[in-house]
Amino acid sequence: MPEITIRSAVSEEDADAVRQLCRDYVTWQIKMFPELRAAIEAYFEPVEWERTLADLPRIHARPKGDMLLGLVDDVPLGCIMYHEMSPGIAEIKRLYVDEKARGMGLGKLLIVEAQDRVRRDGYSKIRLDGATFLDSAMKLYLKLGFRIVEPFFEVPPELADIVVFMERDL
């Protein structure tokens, strides 16, 4: 049985592992949904996406956020992160589990751990945006108590049919 560990990404090596998982996430989406390539690339515009990845440690810095790594036998195969959206509300971002770790429950463990940390950090609500075509993730979020809500940021018209907004009270 593989050993699963979830911990904060604290070193530059950890941050690089998170960045690579985020890049893999976009690559995986394009591979799995080639018909949505234009929309995926619009959402993850390459130059802006690399700027965001470079800035992840600042965006998700303690004490108002965190970056979590999910490790399977000490290999980083999953990530999730959060930051303050507004007072009392945190936003989780970039949940991804590498294909090698699918079916182990790592995605659920990452979400539950992020929720626990968000609650301990004093937030009362958690939000996220996701893609309607990511069926497994959407089902998991709903199972964990998230509900679909009105958009909390403006979405370009070409993405309006595939971006879904969710939240849950803690």
Side-chain angles (χ1 to χ4, degrees):
M1 186 67 124
E3 180 184 349
I4 297 176
T5 309
I6 297 173
R7 64 174 172 78
S8 293
V10 293
S11 68
E12 189 56 35
E13 182 180 338
D14 290 345
D16 285 343
V18 169
R19 288 181 187 104
Q20 188 56 53
L21 286 162
C22 289
R23 288 181 189 103
D24 293 347
Y25 175 55
V26 175
T27 301
W28 174 83
Q29 284 188 42
I30 291 169
K31 178 179 94 174
M32 296 303 295
F33 306 97
E35 71 282 6
L36 297 172
R37 182 183 191 112
I40 294 165
E41 288 178 343
Y43 190 86
F44 297 103
E45 191 284 318
V47 173
E48 188 57 37
W49 181 232
E50 283 301 318
R51 280 191 204 121
T52 298
L53 295 179
D55 208 21
L56 289 179
R58 184 197 61 77
I59 295 168
H60 304 288
R62 302 289 306 137
K64 295 192 179 214
D66 206 350
M67 292 190 310
L68 305 179
L69 266 176
L71 299 106
V72 178
D73 295 332
D74 292 322
V75 177
L77 294 177
C79 64
I80 192 169
M81 51 214 77
Y82 67 92
H83 65 265
E84 184 173 78
M85 181 176 245
S86 61
I89 302 173
E91 180 181 25
I92 59 174
K93 302 290 286 181
R94 298 176 266 286
L95 169 67
Y96 177 66
V97 174
D98 186 278
E99 290 178 280
K100 293 186 270 310
R102 303 259 166 91
M104 296 180 184
L106 182 56
K108 180 179 179 181
L109 291 170
L110 284 163
I111 295 168
V112 168
E113 181 65 24
Q115 287 180 139
D116 289 346
R117 289 177 185 226
V118 164
R119 187 180 298 108
R120 285 194 309 265
D121 285 349
Y123 297 102
S124 59
K125 187 175 291 200
I126 192 165
R127 291 183 172 165
L128 63 91
D129 66 279
T132 56
F133 59 89
L134 298 175
D135 296 333
S136 295
M138 292 298 103
K139 287 177 187 171
L140 182 56
Y141 290 132
L142 291 168
K143 183 177 177 182
L144 292 174
F146 285 85
R147 65 189 177 282
I148 296 173
V149 296
E150 293 297 314
F152 44 81
F153 63 81
E154 191 173 333
V155 177
E158 65 271 19
L159 300 177
D161 290 339
I162 63 169
V163 177
V164 63
F165 296 83
M166 303 178 94
E167 72 178 27
R168 95 174 281 251
D169 297 323
L170 298 174

